[in-house]
C-alpha cells in the first residue's frame, strides 16, 4: 500500500523503503488502491490476495537487491 500510494502521488520510489509496522491511510483507501492497480475488473478476494502477495514479494526482493540500491548503482539505473 505504501508503494502504491506514493506511486499514485507521482513520488520518486527509488529511495523509498517500506516502513514496517507503520500505519498509513484507511482500510477503505487501501482496498481502493488494490482494486485500481490489480488489473482485474471486479476481482475476487483470492485475486486481490494473489496480487498483494505477488507485489509484496517483488518489492521485498527489490529492496533486498544490491542492484536496486541507489547508493550502489548511482544514477545508472534511474527509475528501474
Amino acid at each position: 500500500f505504501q508503494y502504491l500510494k506514493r506511486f499514485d502521488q507521482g513520488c520518486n520510489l527509488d529511495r523509498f523503503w517500506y516502513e514496517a509496522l507503520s500505519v498509513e491511510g484507511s482500510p477503505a483507501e487501501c482496498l481502493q488502491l488494490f482494486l485500481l492497480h490489480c488489473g482485474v475488473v471486479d476481482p475476487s478476494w483470492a485475486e486481490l490476495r494473489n496480487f498483494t502477495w505477488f507485489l509484496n514479494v517483488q518489492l521485498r526482493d527489490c529492496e533486498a537487491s544490491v542492484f536496486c540500491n541507489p547508493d550502489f548503482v548511482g544514477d545508472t539505473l534511474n527509475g528501474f
Side-chain angles (χ1 to χ4, degrees):
F1 172 76
Q2 293 176 11
Y3 274 95
L4 289 176
K5 182 178 177 183
R6 283 162 180 78
F7 176 78
D8 274 1
Q9 294 170 344
C11 297
N12 181 353
L13 299 175
D14 289 344
R15 295 211 174 261
F16 175 73
W17 298 100
Y18 167 70
E19 300 170 27
L21 303 178
S22 68
V23 177
E24 293 183 16
S26 66
E29 184 182 10
C30 181
L31 181 58
Q32 185 178 21
L33 276 178
F34 290 160
L35 289 169
L36 180 67
H37 289 283
C38 80
V40 176
V41 177
D42 194 23
S44 67
W45 285 111
E47 289 168 324
L48 282 176
R49 187 242 178 241
N50 289 337
F51 167 72
T52 57
W53 174 81
F54 178 77
L55 184 62
N56 186 53
V57 168
Q58 296 301 308
L59 292 171
R60 186 179 21 188
D61 289 348
C62 180
E63 285 186 353
S65 172
V66 69
F67 298 107
C68 294
N69 184 334
D71 295 327
F72 177 75
V73 296
D75 62 356
T76 59
L77 297 174
N78 193 19
F80 177 68

